Amino acid sequence: MNTGLVPPIGTEPPVTVTKKVDDFIQAFKPYELNEGGRVHLFLDEKSKAFYLTCHLSGATLAESCDSDATLDVDEDDEIYKLNRDIQEDQAAYQVMEQDARNGRSFEDLVLEYDTSYAPKRPLKVYGGQHRLQAITKAKNNKPHTLHGVRVYFALSRDQKVEIATINNTAIAVPNDLLDRMKEQLLGSELRDWCQAVGLLEEGLDFADRRKPDTPTVRLARTLLVNFFLGKEAEKKSAPHQPVLCKAGGVDDEYLRVREAIDWTDPDLMEMGKQFVRLHKKQKETVSNREEDSNAEFARKAFSLAVVAAWAYAAGAFQSDPTSLANLYSLPDNASSPEDPLNAKALSQARLKGTDPENYRGLGTRNSPKELGRMLEVFLVLAEKGKEKGKLKITKQLANAAIQSYEAKRAVHESEKVLAKI
Amino acid sequence: MFEEYLQDAYEFLAIGSSTSAKLSEKEARRYYRGAVFCASGAIEAFVNYLADSFAKAGSLSEHEICFLNDRVLVFSMEKGLQEKAKYHPLDQKIKLLLRRFASNFDFQSPTWNKFKEFKTLRDGLVHPRQAEDETSLKEYDQKVRSGLAAVIEIMNQLSKDVFRKPLRKKLLDLIPE
């Protein structure tokens, strides 16, 4: 056994383990062994697996770690991957990547030293793949940063599964909670504004997950950002495009908008109050009727696609009082049992011939196209309202909005293509 | 309507060509004619749907929108600029759309040629010059099959060019073998 290794007390590791430990120490020279230091070998009593903890450089990890740890090496088609997929678009991951570039030391990456497959990358990753990805991306900036690893040796198939499972069972912090925490760091203005317009009750904070009556930070941010995008976009010739604020931290567009917000602006206050009125009427009407009274219809105004599109329209109509009045009069134009957003009609609307059978209608999905389609409902409503007085959302209007949106998009796309020729 | 018309055309073709239905020649022709009317109605309805979409969006020039919607802009000293009805051939509208939306559609292709043949068949039925329908069942079967296929293929091309999405699979499955 390597002289730099302290064996576990009260148990004798098998030779298969000590042999691998020696190989590992020889190959990777953990930081702890510098200047005569030692590393300890431990026994996990639950899994009966042996492991040591030590520190390796970012460059070493980037070079030798294998995130495609598998159970069945020979099965090409159906590899049982032992890791969650990397989700690089998660806000938390992006922060991690930035931190790695700034020299953040990460701890407790869970590895197995295993040369039985892909021997050039013998450090099989069972936990911390996102951190490892961030370390790998930062290897040119910070190759010498030390990171803490827990390295297992000579694991059986069952032990591999157990270790991988325990390290991939993340008790995730909900994105909505992260948003709320980050918003608190920015200040109380958003919460105060929501309370002032009635979106939040006095003394209440944002929801930490989706709830029928309490908005999340993401919803409130989306409302504000789109109001300002709409105001800015009214002068632009490009097609209108509402957006959703990112969840799980801070949204750049929101930060940009937030800096310039006058929280006491009467137009902004009015927009907030009108949105609350729409939500309340929607919920009240759907909840009190006998047919089509499902919860999704009741909270339709809180669907993020509706929030983004409605707020964008409210912003864009700031210089068009008639259209704005049409939009704001939506809760007044439908008489019970009709809900102002006509959630059922929205759910049935589709582009004939191309939208798939399982298309769930307007205001459900959050892709840019779906946000654009939803916005078009409010644009058509306001436009037609000028000709015919106050209008309601009907299936026909929703279908017309989809057609109109797709026709606008078609011309925009073809112009882009033609411009390249 | 175009979805239903395509399904109708497919059904009529299936019945007309069915050997198990034991139809007389007259009866079989009846179904083939039904298939022709429905298939041509389908593509016309689809082009009208596109035309209506552009009219709703106002995203093409007024002249193009009028052309697609069988209107024309006329100027007179007395009434100024006004729209009047003017019917434009379906194939011209399709050409306008395919060219307008940067398609590389080949107007010498078998699909387009099959569509033109089918249009001739349809025009012969809609504006007949003969006292009786003398088209043989074999000819009907071949022309309706290739015509329905061409109609769906062109509709699919238009859908991909304009809406950036193909027709629903359920509709593409109606292309006869």
Side-chain angles (χ1 to χ4, degrees):
Chain A
M1 200 182 296
N2 191 298
T3 51
L5 186 76
V6 181
I9 297 167
T11 185
E12 183 74 19
V15 179
T16 48
V17 170
T18 53
K19 170 80 174 62
K20 281 190 182 285
V21 173
D22 285 346
D23 288 353
F24 169 78
I25 289 175
Q26 185 69 27
F28 289 98
K29 300 187 173 44
Y31 173 78
E32 282 76 3
L33 295 181
N34 291 342
E35 313 291 338
R38 303 174 85 186
V39 289
H40 289 254
L41 189 66
F42 299 100
L43 171 69
D44 172 30
E45 287 189 31
K46 168 68 177 60
S47 64
K48 308 290 182 219
F50 288 90
Y51 68 93
L52 59 75
T53 56
C54 64
H55 285 79
L56 300 176
S57 71
T60 303
L61 289 171
E63 228 170 68
S64 303
C65 280
D66 180 1
S67 293
D68 290 328
T70 72
L71 269 191
D72 297 304
V73 181
D74 297 333
E75 290 181 30
D76 288 340
D77 295 337
E78 197 55 45
I79 290 174
Y80 180 172
K81 279 191 72 178
L82 287 165
N83 285 321
R84 281 180 293 160
D85 286 338
I86 297 273
Q87 294 177 313
E88 292 196 12
D89 55 343
Q90 290 280 322
Y93 171 74
Q94 286 164 7
V95 172
M96 200 182 278
E97 211 178 279
Q98 187 61 44
D99 283 357
R101 279 198 290 270
N102 290 329
R104 166 85 71 219
S105 278
F106 294 106
E107 289 293 330
D108 207 27
L109 297 155
V110 181
L111 315 170
E112 182 190 5
Y113 176 68
D114 180 359
T115 51
S116 66
Y117 65 98
K120 286 186 179 165
R121 291 182 172 271
L123 301 179
K124 310 301 176 193
V125 181
Y126 294 160
Q129 57 269 35
H130 286 89
R131 280 169 282 160
L132 188 73
Q133 176 90 342
I135 290 167
T136 304
K137 288 200 173 174
K139 70 176 178 186
N140 294 331
N141 295 46
K142 296 286 177 185
H144 305 302
T145 302
L146 289 173
H147 304 282
V149 296
R150 177 199 306 226
V151 189
Y152 286 89
F153 298 93
L155 294 178
S156 69
R157 188 184 167 92
D158 288 344
Q159 285 171 329
K160 285 178 203 274
V161 172
E162 185 175 339
I163 306 266
T165 305
I166 198 70
N167 281 291
N168 279 285
T169 310
I171 302 171
V173 179
N175 279 338
D176 291 325
L177 176 57
L178 275 178
D179 287 343
R180 193 170 76 185
M181 287 154 58
K182 293 279 184 183
E183 190 62 37
Q184 279 167 355
L185 287 177
L186 293 173
S188 66
E189 293 88 346
L190 182 67
R191 189 179 58 216
D192 295 344
W193 180 80
C194 287
Q195 289 175 351
V197 300
L199 198 51
L200 274 176
E201 283 179 29
E202 278 302 317
L204 262 190
D205 205 347
F206 294 104
D208 59 7
R209 67 197 57 183
R210 202 175 87 138
K211 287 183 180 166
D213 272 328
T214 314
T216 58
V217 166
R218 189 185 194 194
L219 186 152
R221 287 176 178 172
T222 298
L223 192 70
L224 285 179
V225 164
N226 281 283
F227 179 72
F228 285 99
L229 281 182
K231 274 179 88 169
E232 290 165 6
E234 58 187 327
K235 299 163 200 98
K236 286 187 197 163
S237 59
H240 297 288
Q241 182 59 64
V243 297
L244 284 194
C245 287
K246 278 189 215 157
V250 175
D251 180 273
D252 292 341
E253 188 66 24
Y254 170 64
L255 287 181
R256 182 186 74 79
V257 165
R258 198 181 196 280
E259 276 187 11
I261 289 182
D262 170 7
W263 297 94
T264 59
D265 172 21
D267 294 337
L268 182 67
M269 295 294 283
E270 181 64 12
M271 181 277 286
K273 286 176 184 168
Q274 290 293 343
F275 179 73
V276 172
R277 209 164 72 83
L278 175 68
H279 167 61
K280 287 189 170 162
K281 183 72 185 288
Q282 178 71 19
K283 192 183 168 220
E284 181 191 300
T285 314
V286 173
S287 306
N288 290 336
R289 71 189 180 194
E290 289 187 1
E291 283 183 23
D292 301 318
S293 55
N294 66 58
E296 280 303 307
F297 286 0
R299 68 183 307 284
K300 191 69 180 175
F302 266 16
S303 117
L304 285 171
V306 172
V307 173
W310 184 92
Y312 191 105
F317 294 155
Q318 287 300 305
S319 57
D320 178 358
T322 313
S323 293
L324 188 65
N326 282 340
L327 182 75
Y328 285 170
S329 70
L330 206 48
D332 310 316
N333 298 347
S335 46
S336 187
E338 296 169 321
D339 52 310
L341 288 167
N342 200 343
K344 189 176 181 183
L346 292 181
S347 73
Q348 291 171 335
R350 62 203 62 232
L351 186 68
K352 286 198 75 115
T354 57
D355 281 341
E357 301 278 326
N358 60 357
Y359 180 66
R360 289 184 291 142
L362 293 167
T364 51
R365 295 178 189 184
N366 295 331
S367 64
K369 187 177 90 169
E370 289 301 322
L371 299 186
R373 282 183 171 190
M374 191 64 229
L375 171 63
E376 198 70 20
V377 170
F378 298 121
L379 297 182
V380 170
L381 187 85
E383 198 57 37
K384 293 284 171 196
K386 284 181 184 170
E387 298 163 17
K388 300 180 178 176
K390 290 173 179 174
L391 276 184
K392 298 181 218 177
I393 293 175
T394 59
K395 189 176 165 187
Q396 195 186 8
L397 185 139
N399 277 327
I402 292 178
Q403 277 182 269
S404 174
Y405 170 77
E406 292 294 340
K408 285 179 184 173
R409 195 166 78 112
V411 172
H412 178 65
E413 293 292 329
S414 82
E415 280 167 0
K416 275 202 305 193
V417 172
L418 291 173
K420 287 180 192 164
I421 295 171
Chain B
M1 296 294 279
F2 58 86
E3 289 172 281
E4 288 83 357
Y5 281 180
L6 282 183
Q7 288 156 354
D8 293 348
Y10 184 84
E11 275 301 305
F12 288 144
L13 171 63
I15 298 171
S17 60
S18 161
T19 48
S20 60
K22 295 193 170 52
L23 301 175
S24 68
E25 246 186 70
K26 186 177 175 184
E27 287 169 326
R29 274 203 190 91
R30 185 177 294 155
Y31 284 106
Y32 282 124
R33 283 195 298 268
V36 173
F37 293 139
C38 289
S40 53
I43 193 163
E44 190 165 350
F46 186 63
V47 170
N48 287 346
Y49 183 71
L50 295 177
D52 182 48
S53 301
F54 289 112
K56 284 187 164 83
S59 55
L60 290 180
S61 74
E62 254 186 277
H63 291 283
E64 287 170 311
I65 291 172
C66 282
F67 184 86
L68 292 171
N69 287 281
D70 292 319
R71 314 283 297 171
V72 68
L73 288 173
V74 177
F75 179 77
S76 71
M77 287 298 285
E78 294 76 28
K79 295 178 182 171
L81 200 60
Q82 57 178 155
E83 282 185 20
K84 286 192 169 176
K86 185 178 181 198
Y87 293 97
H88 299 108
L90 179 66
D91 51 340
Q92 294 298 310
K93 292 185 201 171
I94 294 172
K95 276 189 172 175
L96 169 71
L97 287 168
L98 288 173
R99 286 184 176 144
R100 181 69 176 72
F101 290 97
S103 167
N104 50 7
F105 186 80
D106 177 8
F107 289 98
Q108 306 297 323
S109 67
T111 298
W112 187 253
N113 290 336
K114 281 191 294 183
F115 173 68
K116 295 289 279 183
E117 276 174 27
F118 180 69
K119 190 170 177 295
T120 307
L121 175 69
R122 175 259 179 203
D123 290 346
L125 292 172
V126 175
H127 313 290
R129 301 274 179 229
Q130 295 167 309
E132 298 211 1
D133 186 353
E134 290 169 352
T135 309
S136 73
L137 293 187
K138 192 177 167 194
E139 188 182 347
Y140 254 135
D141 194 69
Q142 182 266 317
K143 284 187 173 170
V144 175
R145 271 177 203 284
S146 75
L148 179 58
V151 160
I152 298 175
E153 282 161 15
I154 288 170
M155 285 169 66
N156 190 41
Q157 185 69 44
L158 284 169
S159 180
K160 286 195 285 190
D161 287 343
V162 177
F163 296 138
R164 310 276 151 179
K165 268 166 97 176
L167 286 182
R168 247 183 245 168
K169 185 175 179 303
K170 196 173 89 176
L171 300 178
L172 294 175
D173 287 344
L174 299 176
I175 295 176
E177 288 171 7

